[in-house]
Amino acid sequence: MTDQKEKEWKYKAGSYRKSEYVEHAKRIDYTELHSEMNEEERLFINGLIRETRPGRLLEIGVSRGGGTVNILNAINDMPNSKLVSIDKSDTYYGDDKVRVGDDVFKTFSKTENLTLIVGRDASEVLPVLGEKFDFVIIDTAHVHPVESLNFLCALPYMNEGAIVVFHDISLFYRKSYEGCSLATRILISALAADKISTFEPSTTYISDHERVYNIAAVQITPDLQRYIKNVFHALHIPWEYYPVDDMLNIRALLSKHYDNDCLRIFDNAERVNLAWHFSSGKTYSLDRLARIARELPDDTVFYGAGENMRYILNMYRLFKMEFNYTIWDTNHANIRDINGICVSAPDFDLHSETCGAMVITIGNVEIAAGIKILFENNGYKAFMMEDFLSINTGVGAGAGVDTGAGAGADADTGAGAGADAETGADTETGAGAD
Ligand SMILES: C[S@@+](CC[C@H](N)C(=O)[O-])C[C@H]1O[C@@H](n2cnc3c(N)ncnc32)[C@H](O)[C@@H]1O
């Protein structure tokens, strides 16, 4: 992109408050709607759309649809403009009786220019759509690394020159969010791009006292793409949330569109955060855990297909280990599979001579204890999740022998052996450059 084009973009961004654009926005009365943006922020998005007239628009994070209404109104006289809106949830986070996008259907009788996709993550949806977008609005979980992952997954599906708007870049200054919700600020800080915001910072919603900007837009330029590795590096900032269900899709999408350096940084950041979240903040070593996992007897059964099991499968993927064990869950008919591994009904009648080891991954300690007694009586060598995580489990031959050598050693290779000095520095040595 030439300097001239970048200048034009800044000029366009500054034109968002042209009186004709403001007039257009005022067609919608928000008093009965549930907008999660203030008026100035809505005008900012409306004006950018009116000025740049994008053909394909993408919104990630819909909630009740106040933002979607604003976008649909902005394009309502642009017959060639179409909006795709994605939300990971199908119900509003504040009330599960309200469906996502509810305000849109209350406001418009026809929504042919909208494709609303709910209950799925962008990493699953975007590769299937295969479309490229000119205007993107990201307003999702606000817990790191969600916005960064949303952006990295959407970037390959943006045209050069596309405009991306980020909302809630200062949410952490709001009293009730203090100390968290840094996700969007981390992301925009890592982007090599000029950031454009509203004329005036917000004095409401975020803080009654200080004036902070809470919305920003960037344009996709070659520079932004050249320095995208900065966003991967920022993934080393501790994750407030580990997206246990989406990692398989996210990793698959990233591996298609980013180079090996980026992927190595990503894997290392995921690894350290998986270890942290998997064990609720206790610093279990994934190397050690992987060593135990590698040495499990072939006939091991994992009992429970909930969150712990999903963490375990992510660990297998991260360490490039095949998972060839059986997963049992009484809710198998609904769950069916996790990450492509079949979940089947527990067999309570197996005789002791056919029984091997069992790892009970159920989170509820009392239920897990009951299952343990039941299957021990059936002849299983059963372990609670805590035992599996502990070095003294004795489940596998290598367990309890914490030499630091052996099978676990190769697990560090991917992270530490990178040619990129910074990448290697982010390993467990503690000498992180970040
Ligand atoms: C702050 S609200 C969106 C508000 C909306 N943009 C507006 O202006 O009214 C955040 C929404 O993002 C959704 N969300 C959270 N994580 C997500 C993800 N990874 N992908 C898509 N949507 C996500 C939540 O379900 C929630 O509905």
Side-chain angles (χ1 to χ4, degrees):
M1 181 160 306
T2 61
D3 286 354
Q4 183 55 32
K5 277 202 170 158
E6 281 199 65
K7 269 189 205 135
E8 278 170 26
W9 137 248
K10 282 183 209 162
Y11 168 76
K12 281 179 179 173
S15 316
Y16 79 92
R17 245 187 175 287
K18 265 189 200 164
S19 58
E20 62 190 274
Y21 301 160
V22 174
E23 277 310 301
H24 188 93
K26 288 202 169 147
R27 291 171 181 206
I28 302 287
D29 176 3
Y30 284 90
T31 45
E32 296 294 310
L33 302 179
H34 305 87
S35 177
E36 296 183 31
M37 293 185 188
N38 66 28
E39 187 183 19
E40 195 64 18
E41 293 165 351
R42 289 195 302 268
L43 287 178
F44 182 66
I45 291 175
N46 170 78
L48 286 178
I49 295 174
R50 300 296 294 167
E51 183 75 35
T52 57
R53 304 183 75 81
R56 291 282 174 272
L57 298 93
L58 171 68
E59 178 191 31
I60 311 181
V62 176
S63 190
R64 295 179 84 143
T68 319
V69 169
N70 185 37
I71 304 164
L72 289 177
N73 178 58
I75 61 169
N76 74 347
D77 55 357
M78 302 179 196
N80 296 325
S81 299
K82 304 264 180 274
L83 170 66
V84 173
S85 293
I86 302 172
D87 199 293
K88 210 174 136 44
S89 174
D90 49 7
T91 54
Y92 166 50
Y93 62 85
D95 180 352
D96 62 10
K97 287 188 266 329
V98 178
R99 64 185 168 159
V100 156
D102 198 46
D103 277 359
V104 177
F105 304 107
K106 277 189 188 150
T107 310
F108 302 106
S109 52
K110 287 187 192 164
T111 51
E112 290 118 354
N113 49 2
L114 169 69
T115 305
L116 175 63
I117 300 168
V118 296
R120 290 201 277 157
D121 190 68
S123 58
E124 190 186 346
V125 173
L126 294 173
V128 178
L129 291 178
E131 279 189 69
K132 288 229 173 187
F133 296 92
D134 310 300
F135 198 99
V136 178
I137 296 157
I138 298 181
D139 183 16
T140 57
H142 311 323
V143 285
H144 184 63
V146 175
E147 265 80 354
S148 293
L149 296 178
N150 292 152
F151 179 79
L152 289 171
C153 288
L155 181 60
Y157 300 94
M158 295 182 204
N159 286 317
E160 196 188 321
I163 291 165
V164 190
V165 180
F166 304 99
H167 188 237
D168 278 338
I169 61 173
S170 300
L171 193 61
F172 44 88
Y173 284 123
R174 193 174 173 183
K175 194 72 189 156
S176 54
Y177 286 84
E178 224 173 358
C180 59
S181 300
L182 286 159
T184 326
R185 175 63 67 168
I186 290 171
L187 169 60
I188 65 159
S189 305
L191 287 174
D194 283 325
K195 285 100 197 177
I196 310 290
S197 191
T198 43
F199 286 152
E200 289 293 327
S202 171
T203 49
T204 55
Y205 185 63
I206 296 297
S207 165
D208 292 335
H209 311 292
E210 298 301 327
R211 293 150 65 83
V212 284
Y213 292 95
N214 196 35
I215 196 162
V218 301
Q219 191 170 36
I220 303 302
T221 65
D223 265 352
L224 183 147
Q225 288 172 311
R226 192 172 307 125
Y227 296 108
I228 196 65
K229 219 195 270 184
N230 290 341
V231 179
F232 283 90
H233 277 294
L235 291 175
H236 282 87
I237 296 168
W239 295 4
E240 293 173 70
Y241 163 78
Y242 177 89
V244 67
D245 296 322
D246 299 315
M247 288 312 291
L248 196 64
N249 286 325
I250 291 169
R251 182 60 171 73
L253 189 155
L254 298 181
S255 68
K256 249 188 228 149
H257 298 284
Y258 294 91
D259 66 23
N260 285 339
D261 276 355
C262 290
L263 294 175
R264 201 164 44 228
I265 301 167
F266 177 82
D267 285 345
N268 199 38
E270 187 199 346
R271 185 182 146 182
V272 70
N273 281 288
L274 172 65
W276 180 254
H277 283 266
F278 184 24
S279 53
S280 313
K282 293 175 204 139
T283 48
Y284 293 113
S285 154
L286 278 196
D287 281 346
R288 191 178 291 155
L289 204 52
R291 191 160 71 244
I292 296 168
R294 271 194 192 91
E295 293 168 2
L296 287 175
D298 291 346
D299 53 0
T300 301
V301 171
F302 285 76
Y303 193 103
E307 187 167 80
N308 283 334
M309 193 64 235
R310 302 201 297 278
Y311 273 113
I312 290 172
L313 288 179
N314 276 310
M315 181 189 73
Y316 271 81
R317 174 184 51 77
L318 206 55
F319 281 86
K320 299 185 174 59
M321 301 185 307
E322 273 194 54
F323 183 90
N324 293 319
Y325 305 104
T326 303
I327 305 176
W328 282 352
D329 197 295
T330 46
N331 195 21
H332 64 100
N334 291 326
I335 302 171
R336 289 166 190 273
D337 79 289
I338 334 178
N339 288 11
I341 311 285
C342 172
V343 176
S344 50
D347 187 342
F348 293 102
D349 297 325
L350 270 185
H351 300 299
S352 56
E353 62 271 19
T354 55
C355 299
M358 172 177 284
V359 180
I360 300 162
T361 70
I362 293 174
N364 182 312
V365 180
E366 275 169 31
I367 297 176
I371 298 285
K372 184 172 188 281
I373 293 168
L374 189 75
F375 281 95
E376 275 176 346
N377 289 341
N378 264 9
Y380 277 92
K381 196 173 179 191
F383 299 92
M384 305 283 266
M385 192 64 195
E386 279 292 304
D387 299 327
F388 180 60
L389 290 171
S390 131
I391 55 166
N392 295 318
T393 154
V395 175
V401 190
D402 185 23
T403 60
D410 65 353
D412 268 333
T413 316
D420 181 337
E422 280 185 66
T423 314
D426 288 327
T427 61
E428 286 178 358
T429 59
D434 282 335

